[in-house]
Amino acid sequence: MRSKVNYTRLALVGVGTAGTMAVIHVYQQHAWWSGQRGPFHIVNDWDYALNIDKVGHFYGATLISNLFSSSLQWAGVEKKRAMIYGAMLGSIFGLYVEFEDGFATDWGFSPGDAMGNILGAWYPVAQHYVPFLRNFNFKWSYIPTTQLKTGKKKIFIDDHEGQTMWLSISISNFLPEKIEKFYPDFLNIAIGYGVRDLDGLGGGEARILYCA
């Protein structure tokens, strides 16, 4: 059964999306790109911030893709189409930021970041078509560091040492039926990844793994 599109809501989603992207652009223009304009260049920063940055790009793109998808479904767009459009919009937004970074003298277009953005944006679609993937969900926790509180870090997105990225695994779906019926469905196992002692230049000293 096809959904009936509510064009008033769809227009609100469009205006809201355009407005939000404009605000984000202005914010990033001042926070990241101010005085940074130069020739487009590529930077292969695969090890930047001990890789937690790449996981963050994946997770952030997943959130953005889901936000677009949910907004389109609210406007009456059929679920599968909304998910595809959400993934496309999430990918476009992520790539737009990366291309802008490509013109920033202190940054550069990062193939690793771009890959994280695209994979993250399409992960909700993959979960829809491959049910097994629904057992693996990404989460995020954050405690501001002294660097952010004292202004050494401008925005929380770059405050990597305060972040922990989590992979939550639905254990109950992997248990034998005799055991599963006694196991609480809400109790998952989460594997976390964090970093410490970053040098501010992309390197660092400590990777930390958590199990919760």
Side-chain angles (χ1 to χ4, degrees):
M1 180 178 177
R2 298 183 65 179
S3 301
K4 185 176 180 180
V5 176
N6 184 317
Y7 289 100
T8 300
R9 289 187 175 187
L10 187 62
L12 289 173
V13 171
V15 171
T17 298
T20 301
M21 292 188 70
V23 170
I24 291 174
H25 173 81
V26 171
Y27 177 79
Q28 291 179 323
Q29 189 70 41
H30 287 85
W32 286 340
W33 303 323
S34 179
Q36 290 276 328
R37 205 69 176 177
F40 182 84
H41 60 291
I42 296 174
V43 175
N44 288 309
D45 60 346
W46 293 98
D47 293 330
Y48 179 76
L50 301 180
N51 308 117
I52 197 170
D53 176 60
K54 303 297 177 286
V55 183
H57 277 273
F58 181 97
Y59 177 73
T62 299
L63 291 182
I64 293 171
S65 176
N66 277 324
L67 178 61
F68 280 129
S69 176
S70 298
S71 298
L72 291 169
Q73 289 181 60
W74 174 74
V77 178
E78 188 268 331
K79 182 178 179 178
K80 290 183 180 179
R81 288 187 179 184
M83 292 177 64
I84 296 295
Y85 294 152
M88 292 173 63
L89 289 168
S91 299
I92 290 170
F93 177 77
L95 289 174
Y96 145 73
V97 173
E98 289 308 319
F99 274 108
E100 285 289 341
D101 279 352
F103 290 101
T105 54
D106 287 348
W107 300 99
F109 179 90
S110 167
D113 289 357
M115 182 180 296
N117 290 332
I118 293 172
L119 291 176
W122 287 90
Y123 187 67
V125 178
Q127 286 182 304
H128 177 77
Y129 286 101
V130 184
F132 177 75
L133 293 177
R134 298 173 196 171
N135 296 306
F136 304 92
N137 291 289
F138 292 85
K139 298 183 179 182
W140 174 79
S141 59
Y142 174 63
I143 299 175
T145 65
T146 302
Q147 290 180 314
L148 186 81
K149 294 176 180 178
T150 57
K152 292 182 179 179
K153 292 285 187 180
K154 293 182 179 180
I155 53 177
F156 75 91
I157 294 174
D158 288 335
D159 194 20
H160 297 300
E161 290 167 286
Q163 303 175 18
T164 303
M165 311 305 300
W166 298 92
L167 174 63
S168 178
I169 305 170
S170 300
I171 295 297
S172 63
N173 293 333
F174 294 97
L175 297 175
E177 184 177 351
K178 292 182 179 179
I179 299 176
E180 191 276 332
K181 62 183 180 181
F182 297 106
Y183 189 89
D185 292 338
F186 64 85
L187 187 59
N188 295 348
I189 286 181
I191 306 300
Y193 177 61
V195 297
R196 296 291 185 274
D197 302 322
L198 299 182
D199 59 13
L201 301 174
E205 297 295 332
R207 291 180 168 92
I208 303 174
L209 293 178
Y210 304 91
C211 184

